Amino acid sequence: MTRSSLALRAAAILTLLAAAGSAHAGLVLSIANLTQPSSGTGTFEVLLTNDELPGGTSYDLAGFSFGLTVPTGSGVKFSAADATSTTKPYIFADSGGAWLESQNPGDPAFAFTFSYSTFPGSDVIASDTEWKFPSITVNPQDVYSLGTISYLVEPGTPTSDVQISFNLDGTSLSGPNDTDPPIPFTTDTSDGVIRIGGTVVPEPSSVVLALAATALLGTARVRLARRRAA
């Protein structure tokens, strides 16, 4: 293969890589900081990331809504949703509806509900709106929290991996103007797998065999003791 052919091939590969990178650039909703069941409960965060490279596109966010679901009958249920964060700042900290309501409890002028979902349940929808400013700018490489979700694992749930999924019908990002089209985004649920560990319970037949083996061992010991006594 000639040098010119190698150069052309390398250029083609770089072009494909650049195209693949640009195809995935933008706002990404993801599940992060998942704590596995401890005494039957756990939590995780929903994050918003602008994975544009420095100098790329910024987005003005004035409101969000996210919907999440787990399979019905999985043994996992969402138990609470709140506008708190652990490792990343909350997107509307000090200025969103959820924060203002928390600072003015009981005041109807600041009444706000982060989630109207019924808990516990296999689905949850949560949302918030920027009240203080027209919008919050999400610059390239910025990462914000959209809230924390708590869940519980019902007693007796067998060992399994339960996938948390975004319900796109309840998920959206909006700009500062009512006439703005929805802000595009992608979702990432790769870290949204709840791994449930169960206790292995022996099958009835195994229990019977174990009891039988114990009985035979006891009988053998009695016979050996009698022989020695004789």
Side-chain angles (χ1 to χ4, degrees), residues 127-159:
S127 61
D128 200 357
T129 304
E130 174 60 31
W131 285 18
K132 191 174 181 180
F133 307 105
S135 61
I136 299 297
T137 300
V138 184
N139 294 309
Q141 303 300 298
D142 282 352
V143 184
Y144 287 100
S145 171
L146 299 187
T148 298
I149 304 296
S150 301
Y151 68 88
L152 58 85
V153 179
E154 296 179 322
T157 299
T159 300

Side-chain angles (χ1 to χ4, degrees), residues 6 21 28 41 58 62 72 83 86 90 118 123 138 152 175 180 199 226:
L6 286 173
V28 181
T41 62
S58 296
T72 302
T86 56
Y90 181 63
T118 300
D123 299 278
V138 184
L152 58 85
D180 291 338
T199 301
R226 287 178 177 177

Side-chain angles (χ1 to χ4, degrees), residues 22-23 44 64 84-85 97 113 128 157 173 181 212:
S22 61
F44 62 89
F64 70 83
T84 61
S85 58
T113 301
D128 200 357
T157 299
L173 304 175

